[in-house]
């Protein structure tokens, strides 16, 4: 298990990733056994299992990769969905109470998906939850097939039947281009695809570097963009808009400068970033800071246009924190999730379920670690002189803010453990974060002494807010 002594350790990171790879290998082995032994299920769409039986033996699925993991998650979701459909039909007349429970699971499945809008629209048009789910089921099956041939297999997809591919913005897909496979081969959507964000894929031929769509439309697969190299680390930077393409050189320069500073101030932080992040999607989305997806490890969407350089340092490590935590969650149970919003989030300034508090505490810890190192080296000791006075003030305040917000969360996480919402493993991991946070106590005292008057007011306002909300929501 992770301790405060090995949380930065590369062997710890590799062990965690190995656990996920082992789980993936077991899943593929079991699926191959089932599908090659004649498994059938009438609840899948016609023809899907036949195509899946062809896909599952492909050697490109033998070894774990982040894209293979994404594909396997799609497949697991499809299997889970079919099981719910089967259970719904079995209990609809015989056990109305059980049917209602399963129907609620079905609703939550779609409500938490990227097809929520379509699902709710179908329900509003007088479809039952089960009927709406069956309408949307082929879209997941289509994505399984099209994603596999676009991003994983070297074998061609041939035939007259089309498979709908839904573009994945978290992977860099956008209305001007797609990025395919581990090398992020570039597909410019020229002429534009009128049906975007869905593409009706008729064929994929990697040998001819062509994608065929309905209506005799074809797109050319070209080499991927040149990677950014730093300290034996290859980082893919994939713009998702023309503004990103036009400023790509500037974006690369900023990201490499940020990594240089992170490495200068904390080799531990840099090595942790290197372990879990391989792709940056520069996004231009007002009011959006950064985001990533648990099912798509290593891909970080970062707003590089509306945030300053200090924010960039923070955002790179914050999303990497999500990848780190998600790697653990992909093989271990840390929290028992529910939608009960009873915990105050100091970052959102709103009530959140335990998932939001737990993820927040783990991922914002990396901001604490970053800003504590920057304060110590850049503000207190002037070791590297990378920042101006305004930036140093921001670093000092951010260090103290993260310290206060993290301290606020630990009591709620302890309470959530007592309520059965956090597992023993989950509490152990959070105790590591708590110990690491408390280890900053003496540095916090020095930061408080160097805080300017206006930032002291801001920090006191935060402390007062947390005290007030703590008294209000905690019994």
């Amino acid at each position: 298990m992770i301790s405060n002594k090995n949380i930065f350790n590369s062997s710890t990171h590799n062990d965690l990733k190995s656990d996920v790879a082992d789980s993936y290998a077991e899943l593929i082995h079991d699926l191959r056994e089932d599908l090659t032994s004649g498994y059938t299920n009438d609840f899948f769409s016609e023809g899907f299992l036949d195509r899946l039986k062809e896909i599952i033996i492909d050697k490109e699925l033998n070894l774990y990769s982040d894209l293979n993991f994404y594909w396997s998650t799609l497949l697991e979701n499809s299997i889970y969905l079919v099981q719910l459909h089967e259970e719904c039909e079995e209990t609809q007349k015989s056990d109305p109470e059980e049917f209602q429970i399963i129907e609620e699971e079905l609703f939550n499945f779609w409500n938490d998906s990227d097809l929520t809008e379509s699902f709710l629209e179908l329900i509003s048009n007088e479809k039952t939850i089960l009927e709406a789910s069956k309408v949307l089921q082929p879209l997941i099956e289509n994505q399984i097939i099209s994603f596999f041939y676009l991003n994983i297999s070297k074998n061609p997809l041939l035939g007259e039947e089309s498979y709908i591919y839904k573009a994945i913005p978290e992977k860099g897909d956008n209305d001007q281009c797609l990025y395919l496979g581990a090398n992020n081969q570039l597909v410019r959507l020229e002429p534009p695809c009128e049906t975007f964000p869905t593409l009706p894929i008729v064929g994929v031929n990697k040998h001819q570097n062509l994608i065929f769509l309905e209506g005799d439309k074809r797109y050319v697969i070209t080499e991927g963009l040149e990677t950014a190299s730093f300290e034996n680390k290859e980082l893919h930077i994939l713009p998702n808009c023309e503004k990103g393409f036009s400023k790509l050189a500037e974006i690369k320069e900023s990201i490499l400068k940020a990594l240089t500073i992170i490495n200068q101030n904390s080799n531990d932080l840099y090595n942790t970033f290197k372990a879990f992040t391989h792709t940056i999607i520069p996004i231009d989305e007002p009011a959006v800071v950064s985001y990533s997806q648990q099912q798509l490890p290593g891909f970080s969407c970062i707003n590089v246009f509306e945030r300053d350089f200090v924010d960039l340092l923070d955002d790179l490590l914050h999303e990497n924190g999500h990848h780190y935590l998600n790697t653990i969650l992909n093989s271990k149970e840390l929290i028992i999730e529910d939608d009960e919003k009873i915990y105050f989030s100091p970052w959102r300034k709103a009530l959140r379920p335990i998932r939001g508090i737990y993820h927040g505490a783990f991922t914002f810890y990396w901001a604490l670690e970053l800003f504590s190192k920057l304060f110590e080296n850049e503000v207190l000791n002037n070791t590297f002189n990378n920042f101006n006075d305004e930036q140093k003030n921001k670093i000092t305040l951010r260090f103290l803010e993260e310290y206060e917000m993290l301290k606020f969360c630990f009591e709620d996480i302890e309470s959530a453990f007592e309520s059965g919402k956090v597992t023993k493993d989950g509490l152990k991991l959070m105790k590591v974060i708590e110990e690491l946070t408390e280890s900053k106590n003496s540095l916090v005292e020095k930061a408080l002494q160097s805080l300017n008057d206006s930032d002291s007011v801001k920090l006191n306002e935060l402390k007062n807010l947390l005290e007030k909300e703590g008294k209000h929501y905690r019994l």
Side-chain angles (χ1 to χ4, degrees), residues 3-137:
S3 70
N4 56 4
K5 293 180 180 179
N6 69 14
I7 192 169
F8 302 106
N9 194 294
S10 59
S11 63
T12 300
H13 304 157
N14 291 335
D15 287 346
L16 291 169
K17 290 190 286 186
S18 180
D19 288 344
V20 179
D22 288 345
S23 296
Y24 167 82
E26 288 175 16
L27 173 65
I28 295 299
H29 175 268
D30 291 346
L31 287 169
R32 283 173 170 167
E33 280 202 338
D34 289 344
L35 290 168
T36 55
S37 64
Y39 171 80
T40 60
N41 189 311
D42 293 338
F43 284 86
F44 284 107
S45 300
E46 185 178 357
F48 173 69
L49 279 180
D50 291 334
R51 178 63 78 172
L52 187 58
K53 288 174 184 178
E54 297 171 6
I55 287 173
I56 201 66
I57 60 174
D58 194 301
K59 64 180 182 180
E60 297 300 323
L61 291 173
N62 290 352
L63 296 178
Y64 174 90
S65 73
D66 289 339
L67 293 178
N68 286 13
F69 176 78
Y70 178 83
W71 181 83
S72 70
T73 302
L74 284 177
L75 188 51
E76 285 187 293
N77 286 343
S78 177
I79 293 168
Y80 173 62
L81 182 63
V82 162
Q83 289 173 342
L84 290 180
H85 287 177
E86 198 168 6
E87 290 171 7
C88 270
E89 296 218 347
E90 287 175 356
T91 59
Q92 193 163 12
K93 293 180 180 178
S94 62
D95 192 343
E97 189 175 332
E98 181 67 16
F99 171 75
Q100 189 174 359
I101 293 171
I102 298 166
E103 193 179 44
E104 186 177 345
E105 281 189 58
L106 201 54
F107 179 89
N108 291 335
F109 175 90
W110 290 110
N111 199 44
D112 294 336
S113 76
D114 57 2
L115 292 168
T116 303
E117 190 175 331
S118 300
F119 174 65
L120 295 177
E121 185 177 347
L122 285 168
I123 291 177
S124 69
N125 289 330
E126 300 185 349
K127 292 277 188 189
T128 67
I129 291 174
L130 180 58
E131 288 170 343
S133 184
K134 286 183 175 181
V135 169
L136 296 177
Q137 176 185 338

Side-chain angles (χ1 to χ4, degrees), residues 2 7 13 16 272 276 320-328 366:
I2 293 172
I7 192 169
H13 304 157
L16 291 169
T272 303
F276 295 102
N320 192 69
H322 278 293
H323 298 318
Y324 194 157
L325 179 58
N326 287 334
T327 301
I328 303 171
W366 302 96

Side-chain angles (χ1 to χ4, degrees), residues 274-288:
K274 189 166 66 170
F276 295 102
T277 299
H278 53 67
T279 302
I280 303 294
I281 316 296
I283 61 170
D284 182 22
E285 300 177 26
V288 174

Side-chain angles (χ1 to χ4, degrees), residues 189-446:
L189 299 181
E190 297 172 351
C193 179
E194 297 85 356
T195 59
F196 190 87
T198 60
L199 292 84
I201 307 290
V202 175
V204 180
N205 192 321
K206 300 286 181 65
H207 304 295
Q208 296 180 359
N209 291 321
L210 289 173
I211 298 173
F212 303 91
L213 271 62
E214 278 184 356
D216 294 326
K217 182 176 286 188
R218 61 179 62 187
Y219 292 119
V220 177
I221 303 172
T222 63
E223 286 190 15
L225 300 173
E226 185 179 353
T227 58
S229 299
F230 177 78
E231 294 283 331
N232 298 320
K233 168 74 175 176
E234 295 294 319
L235 191 65
H236 293 271
I237 301 177
L238 310 179
N240 74 342
C241 60
E242 279 306 319
K243 186 175 179 180
F245 275 102
S246 66
K247 293 183 176 293
L248 182 55
E250 181 182 329
I251 292 168
K252 277 188 179 181
E253 184 180 352
S254 292
I255 290 174
L256 290 177
K257 180 182 175 184
L259 292 177
T260 299
I261 290 173
I262 290 170
N263 197 24
Q264 277 180 344
N265 283 275
S266 174
N267 191 245
D268 283 339
L269 281 175
Y270 173 72
N271 285 335
T272 303
F273 174 85
K274 189 166 66 170
F276 295 102
T277 299
H278 53 67
T279 302
I280 303 294
I281 316 296
I283 61 170
D284 182 22
E285 300 177 26
V288 174
V289 176
S290 63
Y291 56 88
S292 55
Q293 191 179 80
Q294 182 173 346
Q295 297 83 359
L296 198 59
F299 291 80
S300 297
C301 298
I302 307 287
N303 192 330
V304 298
F305 300 108
E306 291 193 334
R307 307 268 287 168
D308 64 27
F309 184 72
V310 174
D311 293 329
L312 175 62
L313 294 163
D314 182 8
D315 295 342
L316 289 170
L317 294 180
H318 178 81
E319 286 311 315
N320 192 69
H322 278 293
H323 298 318
Y324 194 157
L325 179 58
N326 287 334
T327 301
I328 303 171
L329 286 168
N330 285 333
S331 61
K332 289 182 174 63
E333 190 173 46
L334 302 178
I335 52 177
I336 310 300
E337 295 193 35
D338 61 33
D339 295 325
E340 197 175 14
K341 296 180 180 180
I342 59 174
Y343 304 102
F344 182 79
S345 167
W347 297 282
R348 294 283 188 94
K349 307 295 188 291
L351 291 179
R352 299 276 285 152
I354 187 56
R355 176 183 175 85
I357 303 303
Y358 196 96
H359 277 251
F362 188 89
T363 56
F364 281 101
Y365 160 72
W366 302 96
L368 175 76
E369 190 64 33
L370 168 69
F371 290 122
S372 69
K373 294 296 184 185
L374 292 181
F375 171 74
E376 186 173 22
N377 295 328
E378 305 280 355
V379 180
L380 206 58
N381 299 322
N382 293 312
T383 306
F384 301 112
N385 295 308
N386 286 309
F387 300 97
N388 59 36
D389 288 344
E390 182 180 352
Q391 290 172 321
K392 288 180 179 180
N393 288 339
K394 180 170 182 173
I395 287 166
T396 305
L397 178 61
R398 291 286 287 110
F399 167 39
L400 294 168
E401 286 177 334
E402 293 302 342
Y403 176 80
E404 293 296 334
M405 290 189 285
L406 282 167
K407 280 205 310 176
F408 178 84
C409 288
F410 298 134
E411 182 178 338
D412 285 336
I413 290 170
E414 184 82 41
S415 173
F417 169 72
E418 293 170 0
S419 301
K421 296 175 185 286
V422 174
T423 67
K424 287 183 179 179
D425 283 342
L427 185 63
K428 285 178 183 177
L429 177 60
M430 204 46 59
K431 285 297 182 182
V432 171
I433 300 302
E434 186 173 3
E435 288 173 18
L436 289 166
T437 300
E438 289 174 351
S439 72
K440 308 295 181 185
N441 288 350
S442 61
L443 200 58
V444 165
E445 293 303 317
K446 294 176 182 177

